[in-house]
Amino acid sequence: MFLGRGQNIRPINGSVSITACINLPPEVNSAGLLTQFEGGVKDYKWLDYTTPRIMFLIATMLIISQAFHSVLKRFGIPIFISQIFAGLLLSRPVLQVIKVADKIITPEHVQLIGSMGNIGIAFFIFQSGVKMDISMVAKVGRKAWYIGILSVIAPLVALIPGSMVPSGGGPTGLFITPLYYMTAYPVIFCLLTHLKILNSELGRLAQSSAIVADFLSYATILFLTLSQVAYSSPPKAIQLCVYILTFIVIVMVVVRPAMLLIARMTPEGKEVSRTGLYVVVLILLLFLSFARLFYSEFTVLGLYILGLAVPHGPPLGSALVNKFDTMISGFFLPIFVTTSAMRLHDLSLHTFNSLIWHNIALAGLAALVKFGACALLLLYWKMHRNDAMALALIMNIKGIVEMAFYTFASDGRYVSPNMFRFMLGVVIVTGSVVPILVRKLYDPSRKYAGYQIKKLVDCKPESELQIVSCIHVPSNIISAINLLSISSPTNESPIVVNVLHLIKLNGQATSIFVSHQSKNKNIYTYCYSENVILSFKKFGGLHWGAASINAFTAISPPDLMHDDICTLALDKLASLVILPFHRTWFIDGSLESEDQTVRNLNLCVLEKAPCSVGILIDHGNLKRPVTHTDSSSADSLSNVAMLFIGGNDDREALTFAKRMVRDNKVRLTVVHFIAASDNGDVDWETILDSEVLRGVENSEYIRYVKHVVKDGAETVKIVHSIVSEFELIIVGRRYNLESPQTSCLKQWSEFPELGILGDLLASKDLGGKCSVLVMQQQRKN
């Protein structure tokens, strides 16, 4: 048998002699699949060659894992479990049942593919360290500290008596039991991402707690393992301590400065050079080589420490993650998970001895104590019962990191095959059950329960208006400021602008939400948001007493940014969220860029926002009203139109438009489209429309225009004729509302999130002629 892995064999009972048989010369490349069918070569079988068999096995593993996932994902089970099931299906016990074991896969091929999987787990652990901001340990809150420490210390204390029982001449339970109560941050992060609650209140608390528990878990594993080695061989323990301390010193004195030098040599806003990336990869490969020579048991911990030496975020950390993440998580890591499960030699429970049942009891006790300790502490803090149980379950999850420990322990013969089988079962059970239970227990929308309705139509004209304005790119800044200026804030009717700068999470694991009003400024996020903060502070200075500015920065994955927006709107009791459109244009009207992630974000906010939402489509012609009192020229006027058909969204849009006429520098025109088929019937919607239109028809500050139209074609013709007269047109979204005024137009709609009229105004035919604000009244969640 060809032995591709496990150079340092330490069997549990005594020594063992292994004979390795190798075919020379090795058969690597075949003559092709067609050669076998053509019969051109005697006794030729293409699967007898290494390369085609490896390719066939990798394709088989990926296909089977995807087949499992297509079924299990309906129950909320992550793909990681499907990859384990694929490995179990390809293990020798299963293949021997169908009598194709030797024809499809042999132990040497498992070891060879497993070596490829080792690349995946090595880079995964390394990248986990790269993504981690070690300074976050000191910044987590008091609750996270208590939960993180208790989740490790409580089960540790409970397991100490049982873990001291010797394990049949092999290593004591002190080596295995830490894996029962350890909490790995990468596993928690993957679970929260899978459940899409990374940015929720529970998700943020779980992340902070996992950071503390992660470092404490590694510390206890290191301490207990050194204690075990010192018990059996004090000189070896001293030697091991020297190795670890030497490694840490090298990382701090040599590796970390080298990484910082690469980051400093990269020009601001530029990507790291390929040479810098190659240097990092070379350091990683050298470490893996030396780790096997000295003490391979601490490979996982060493890779994590090495990753922590890399500065997180741009330019170096982000470049490493972007360069290798897809390849590692999409190819090499699934191979590692599948081949780890393929190592099983027996799937029955009859071979479990007393030691295995003893460890089953220890694992169950650890899970029960950890769950109880975390849940009771959270209930003591008056957390909702379901949320407390969900967080306690999250802290009990086992995943890829624990599986790596189990696999390396099995390869190094620290644990028996039966023990490895049991450990794999623990990963399968927790990895399958915990996501399902957490999804049942925790509902992120619960925070909106009992939230008061925040509609503009219900706000008093003189009341303070809370607005959340979202910024993605620099061009969004001037657009938002110009719109806020047109909204005409006054001392009698002030506005509070909560500016949220949204930044894509890149090269780091922890989402960040920073308030720039706090005394302790976050320099990292302030540098990114400096232009945003200064621009809006200047706007606040120009409208002193009428506009207040609160600046925030959120760094999170794009598909979870809506949580940051909705949570801020909820906390600030905002009545309106302003979102930039996903398309931007040059000043000549040509398309500049289109970001599909921004569009998906807008759709999520429209669906979940706890207040009204406005999508701003800026073509660059939105002028800020002149603030000097001595300027009265017509050129300083801002011409704004509001297209009114009727309904909740139109009433919300008209209410916002009416706030603008407080400034004599804004000239508002309300264009009312009435259906020719209207027979004068009065219903509740008609009454509400009449109420919001009251005072508009005879107002000296508002120009009111009424158009009777038969169908959507007449509406389009009128819009075409007036669009060039205005810098800004405000419309209601009117999503899925049918009316004669917009008949036959829905089928031509390109962006449903804008509604029919909003989509018409954003179309290429009218593009560049005016800016558009599409408003949606708060939905009843």
Side-chain angles (χ1 to χ4, degrees):
M1 180 182 71
F2 174 75
L3 188 63
R5 177 197 279 230
Q7 297 177 359
N8 300 320
I9 305 298
R10 298 178 178 84
I12 292 178
N13 294 313
S15 60
V16 64
S17 176
I18 297 179
T19 302
C21 300
I22 304 175
N23 293 326
L24 293 175
E27 297 175 335
V28 180
N29 296 317
S30 70
L33 179 61
L34 295 178
T35 306
Q36 177 170 331
F37 298 101
E38 293 173 355
V41 181
K42 186 178 181 181
D43 298 329
Y44 171 79
K45 294 181 179 180
W46 69 281
L47 279 179
D48 289 341
Y49 295 83
T50 303
T51 300
R53 183 176 290 239
I54 293 299
M55 295 173 64
F56 171 75
L57 290 177
I58 291 176
T60 303
M61 288 188 296
L62 297 177
I63 291 173
I64 294 177
S65 63
Q66 289 297 326
F68 273 112
H69 185 57
S70 64
V71 177
L72 296 180
K73 69 180 181 181
R74 303 175 187 272
F75 303 97
I77 298 176
I79 193 172
F80 167 72
I81 301 299
S82 301
Q83 293 162 358
I84 296 179
F85 285 154
L88 295 177
L89 189 63
L90 293 174
S91 61
R92 290 190 64 81
V94 175
L95 295 181
Q96 284 175 346
V97 173
I98 58 179
K99 300 179 181 180
V100 294
D102 295 329
K103 296 180 181 179
I104 295 180
I105 191 166
T106 58
E108 56 264 30
H109 290 107
V110 174
Q111 296 291 342
L112 184 58
I113 301 176
S115 299
M116 298 175 61
N118 280 350
I119 299 175
I121 190 61
F123 269 90
F124 176 80
I125 299 298
F126 173 72
Q127 283 190 351
S128 298
V130 173
K131 295 177 182 179
M132 174 67 71
D133 181 6
I134 196 171
S135 64
M136 292 297 294
V137 178
K139 298 177 182 178
V140 298
R142 178 177 57 89
K143 287 185 179 181
W145 270 103
Y146 288 160
I147 297 171
I149 293 174
L150 192 63
S151 67
V152 175
I153 298 301
L156 170 62
V157 173
L159 293 185
I160 286 178
S163 63
M164 300 304 293
V165 178
S167 55
T172 67
L174 284 175
F175 181 80
I176 300 302
T177 51
L179 303 179
Y180 298 154
Y181 61 77
M182 76 172 292
T183 300
Y185 178 81
V187 177
I188 302 291
F189 179 82
C190 292
L191 174 64
L192 297 175
T193 303
H194 169 72
L195 296 174
K196 296 183 178 179
I197 58 173
L198 193 67
N199 287 11
S200 64
E201 294 180 7
L202 186 75
R204 292 187 184 277
L205 181 57
Q207 284 186 86
S208 301
S209 304
I211 290 174
V212 177
D214 185 75
F215 283 97
L216 187 57
S217 298
Y218 281 122
T220 55
I221 291 175
L222 182 61
F223 173 76
L224 293 177
T225 305
L226 287 174
S227 301
Q228 174 187 330
V229 174
Y231 179 79
S232 59
S233 176
K236 187 175 181 181
I238 296 175
Q239 183 184 32
L240 181 57
C241 288
V242 172
Y243 287 157
I244 295 174
L245 291 176
T246 302
F247 171 72
I248 294 175
V249 170
I250 292 175
V251 169
M252 294 176 62
V253 176
V254 179
V255 178
R256 176 69 175 179
M259 302 295 180
L260 292 174
L261 179 62
I262 294 174
R264 283 196 300 266
M265 291 176 62
T266 304
E268 185 176 356
K270 301 293 184 180
E271 295 183 355
V272 177
S273 64
R274 290 187 178 181
T275 304
L277 295 178
Y278 294 155
V279 169
V280 177
V281 175
L282 181 61
I283 292 174
L284 179 62
L285 295 176
L286 289 174
F287 166 75
L288 289 174
S289 302
F290 283 106
R292 287 291 184 180
L293 293 176
F294 290 100
Y295 208 82
S296 60
E297 289 75 11
F298 287 100
T299 301
V300 174
L301 182 58
L303 287 167
Y304 196 62
I305 294 174
L306 198 62
L308 291 174
V310 179
H312 71 283
L316 184 56
S318 302
L320 284 171
V321 173
N322 294 337
K323 190 75 173 180
F324 300 107
D325 189 60
T326 301
M327 178 180 63
I328 297 302
S329 60
F331 182 73
F332 286 105
L333 200 59
I335 291 176
F336 171 80
V337 175
T338 305
T339 53
S340 295
M342 290 169 64
R343 286 171 168 78
L344 293 184
H345 299 289
D346 188 4
L347 297 179
S348 67
L349 299 177
H350 301 292
T351 56
F352 276 13
N353 54 28
S354 59
L355 175 62
I356 303 300
W357 291 110
H358 176 71
N359 277 272
I360 291 176
L362 290 179
L365 178 62
L368 185 62
V369 171
K370 175 182 279 194
F371 176 84
C374 294
L376 289 175
L377 180 62
L378 293 168
L379 290 173
Y380 175 76
W381 286 332
K382 308 298 183 183
M383 179 179 281
H384 191 278
R385 182 184 60 184
N386 287 1
D387 294 355
M389 290 191 295
L391 181 55
L393 285 170
I394 289 173
M395 300 301 289
N396 269 287
I397 188 72
K398 305 296 178 187
I400 185 68
V401 175
E402 289 83 2
M403 191 172 188
F405 274 107
Y406 300 159
T407 302
F408 293 151
S410 176
D411 289 348
R413 302 299 176 90
Y414 284 99
V415 296
S416 65
N418 284 340
M419 182 66 76
F420 175 71
R421 182 166 20 123
F422 158 67
M423 292 174 172
L424 190 61
V426 172
V427 174
I428 294 175
V429 171
T430 60
S432 303
V433 174
V434 170
I436 296 175
L437 292 180
V438 172
R439 197 183 296 272
K440 293 290 184 181
L441 290 170
Y442 180 64
D443 181 13
S445 63
R446 189 186 299 125
K447 61 185 177 183
Y448 301 126
Y451 178 65
Q452 61 182 346
I453 303 299
K454 298 294 292 184
K455 302 176 183 176
L456 291 177
V457 293
D458 295 333
C459 295
K460 296 180 180 179
E462 298 79 16
S463 64
E464 182 181 73
L465 180 62
Q466 289 274 355
I467 299 175
V468 174
S469 180
C470 301
I471 303 296
H472 293 284
V473 293
S475 60
N476 298 152
I477 300 174
I478 189 66
S479 304
I481 290 177
N482 288 345
L483 176 64
L484 294 171
S485 298
I486 291 178
S487 67
S488 307
T490 63
N491 292 343
E492 294 75 24
S493 180
I495 63 173
V496 178
V497 183
N498 301 285
V499 187
L500 180 58
H501 188 198
L502 297 163
I503 302 175
K504 178 183 177 182
L505 185 69
N506 196 5
Q508 60 189 82
T510 309
S511 299
I512 298 175
F513 190 91
V514 178
S515 171
H516 296 287
Q517 285 67 247
S518 60
K519 295 181 180 179
N520 298 323
K521 288 188 176 181
N522 188 308
I523 302 300
Y524 173 67
T525 54
Y526 185 85
C527 293
Y528 277 92
S529 304
E530 184 176 7
N531 289 337
V532 177
I533 298 170
L534 294 178
S535 298
F536 277 89
K537 290 293 184 183
K538 183 179 179 181
F539 165 76
L542 293 174
H543 296 82
W544 182 258
S548 303
I549 306 297
N550 300 319
F552 303 87
T553 298
I555 304 178
S556 58
D559 57 342
L560 299 177
M561 284 180 178
H562 63 274
D563 269 338
D564 293 320
I565 299 172
C566 295
T567 301
L568 180 60
L570 188 68
D571 292 342
K572 297 298 181 179
L573 299 178
S575 298
L576 177 64
V577 171
I578 299 175
L579 303 171
F581 192 51
H582 68 278
R583 280 184 174 180
T584 58
W585 288 265
F586 289 109
I587 194 170
D588 61 354
S590 59
L591 184 65
E592 178 184 5
S593 64
E594 183 172 3
D595 192 338
Q596 190 63 33
T597 59
V598 175
R599 183 187 183 190
N600 295 334
L601 172 63
N602 291 347
L603 289 169
C604 289
V605 175
L606 286 169
E607 180 180 354
K608 300 181 179 181
C611 61
S612 299
V613 180
I615 297 180
L616 178 60
I617 309 166
D618 182 27
H619 289 103
N621 52 4
L622 189 61
K623 297 186 301 182
R624 187 189 309 183
V626 176
T627 57
H628 299 93
T629 58
D630 58 345
S631 178
S632 59
S633 65
D635 293 337
S636 65
L637 291 175
S638 294
N639 294 306
V640 179
M642 191 278 142
L643 308 186
F644 188 89
I645 295 176
N648 291 334
D649 295 344
D650 278 9
R651 291 193 291 270
E652 197 78 355
L654 180 55
T655 302
F656 183 69
K658 287 160 68 175
R659 292 181 64 97
M660 299 178 177
V661 297
R662 293 188 179 91
D663 190 342
N664 57 8
K665 301 303 179 184
V666 177
R667 187 162 51 193
L668 175 63
T669 300
V670 176
V671 182
H672 188 188
F673 292 97
I674 301 175
S677 58
D678 188 2
N679 54 13
D681 292 340
V682 178
D683 55 13
W684 183 245
E685 287 294 317
T686 306
I687 295 174
L688 294 177
D689 290 342
S690 300
E691 180 66 23
V692 77
L693 284 169
R694 189 175 61 179
V696 171
E697 300 180 15
N698 301 319
S699 174
E700 59 179 314
Y701 304 106
I702 302 174
R703 178 185 172 212
Y704 178 74
V705 180
K706 184 187 299 184
H707 291 283
V708 179
V709 294
K710 293 186 299 184
D711 52 23
E714 287 194 9
T715 302
V716 171
K717 186 182 298 184
I718 294 172
V719 171
H720 270 269
S721 65
I722 67 173
V723 68
S724 59
E725 301 176 11
F726 305 98
E727 288 86 35
L728 173 67
I729 295 180
I730 305 175
V731 298
R733 185 187 181 202
R734 293 175 47 81
Y735 183 65
N736 279 342
L737 287 182
E738 297 289 344
S739 65
Q741 298 95 314
T742 57
S743 60
C744 302
L745 297 180
K746 185 176 180 181
Q747 57 185 334
W748 304 104
S749 180
E750 183 181 4
F751 304 114
E753 67 269 25
L754 300 180
I756 295 177
L757 288 182
D759 181 82
L760 172 65
L761 292 166
S763 65
K764 294 180 180 179
D765 295 337
L766 299 178
K769 295 184 179 180
C770 70
S771 296
V772 184
L773 179 65
V774 180
M775 297 195 62
Q776 173 188 275
Q777 191 180 77
Q778 177 189 2
R779 289 187 172 185
K780 295 181 180 180
N781 295 312

